[in-house]
Amino acid sequence: MFRYTVSIIFLIIGIKAICQDVESLIGKLSSAELHEQPAILNELSKKVRGSNTDSAMTFAKRAYALASQIDDKEQMALANKNIGIIHWFNYELDSALVSYGKSLNSFVELGREDEVANLYNNISIVFSKQEQKDTAIALYQKALEINLKRNDSVGIARNYLNLAVLYGEVENYQTEMHYQREALKYSYSSADFIYSNMAGTMSNLYGPDSAIFYYRKALELCKIDFLIARIYLNLGPHFRVLGMIDSARIYLEKGKLLLSDKLSEEYAKALMDEGSLFELEGNYSRSLGLYLKANHIAESQKYNALLIDLWQSIAHNYGAIGNWNNAYQWSRKHQQLQDSMTNVENSRHLAELQAKFEYEQHQRKIGELTRENLLKEVQIAADRNFKLVLLIGFGFIIMLSIILFVIYKRRQERREQGLAMKSLEIEQRMLRSQMNPHFIFNALNSIQSFITTNKAYEAEVFMSKFSLLVRKILENSTQKLIALDEEVETLDLYLTLEKSRFEERFDFEIIEDADGMISIPPMLLQPFVENAIIHGMKGKSEKGKITVRFLEQEDHLICEVEDDGVGRSAEEQKKAHRSLATSLTNDRINYFNEASSAGAFALQILDLKDSGSEPIGTKVTLTIPLDV
């Protein structure tokens, strides 16, 4: 919805310029040489296809005919591409695929990788619309490979965002989040829009508090009023779910004020969300007034999807104030609209069922043919009685092999049970280390301090980050392996909170020079980061720095935690480092090495010293195999 609304805003501004361009191109066409005309006609088709598809199709077909006459393969390919786009605009999906395919073959022959990648994108959109998600994803991946090779940052970002949308549609939200993060690396100028999309993904993954965190990151960067309004309007319902009614009302009001189109679906939805807040408080007269105002907009603009929920809410509110006649009338309207939309959905569903039935019939025929062939083979084998002795001997060998295999498997199971018990004990200790009572108590004290000093926004931000960190720790503790991106995000949240709590006494940097989808055991580095903060920065007069690095080297991931603190010179501090990090992590490393045949986990702690042998910090290096 947002994409199309923004397009309309800029369309109004650009109509005059487009008309002038079209007139100029038509003037050039009348005096152009034959070899120049296909390019001009293709450009005309491109200019007018958004407003007049019939004229655009005429220009494109003329371009193709003239290009064929002079054997201009590039203009022929462009003409087919334009024809495909026009078919797409007219929702003629099969015709669009045919024209795209012709254009693709031509551009492949011409070696035009930029156009090939662009056409893969266009074809993917058609397959996605036809509910062939796997094919669409595969084609987006091919376009991505080409754009990565060409180092086309705009194309790469677009591919990642398209992949994120597709994975979101199939409810694979973890992968959707990964591709959104990748898009952010290549298109930081659109970070506000990407963060807004990431908020929706986080809402599906972890709930409203996580979504609020990303919406606020989007707000920090956003400069476009419409997108700011959209973020405000999304924040309102999330605060409502958390029971923060006043905050929800404030954000909805802010969003409404920024919307210039008071007849838009967004404005009607904002009125409906605002009404739901009053309904939640039991103020049915106020909520009913807002619902009726939203209904006036939705009915006049035919926002049927919104009307279904709206009419049901109006009926409920009339019932709540005892106006049963109106409640009945609105309830009937709701049911009639829902039935009509259900009939449309049922027709689509029946078509899908018919296609599935025909596929199953085809598969059943294949299965029957296969079964007949197997029966024939069994009959032939039964006639070969002279091989009976050989078969018995072969069967004995198989039975003996099975017995030996079962014995081996039982030994393996006993070994795995022992490792599982050891793993459970280590994970419990790990979680206790992560959920340090002192850290939780100090974090809550920081929130209380913000509140008592009237720093409500800082308290709200700190609380949002703290709740997200606790959620991530609890969820990651149940996983054997997590993506490197998830570990980096957890460490970033933890260091941000600690930096705030320690009153900016240190800076930190996380360097990720590795594939974000690498799988690693969760929460391996946090104890060392905690030691770097508590023990490394303790007694340091100037501002310190903590650096966390992730480096991919051949078949290993190198993880480093380095601080410029006071070092481990005192015996007491050596003991603290061992109790908080070395002991627990060594136990986990021993377990991983025992459970894996690779045995490639390793831990090294190095005391950093200057030229005068004075301690200048500590560096912890953890080596993790990539095939964990």
Side-chain angles (χ1 to χ4, degrees), residues 44-57:
L44 277 167
S45 178
K46 183 178 177 181
K47 291 286 184 184
V48 303
R49 68 192 179 201
S51 56
N52 190 330
T53 54
D54 290 340
S55 297
M57 183 65 80

Side-chain angles (χ1 to χ4, degrees), residues 61 68 96 177 213 227 376 406 418 519 538 603 614 616 621:
K61 287 183 176 179
S68 300
M177 192 67 179
F213 174 77
L227 182 53
K376 289 178 182 178
V406 169
S519 296
K538 185 177 181 181
L603 173 67
E614 291 295 322
I616 57 172
T621 302

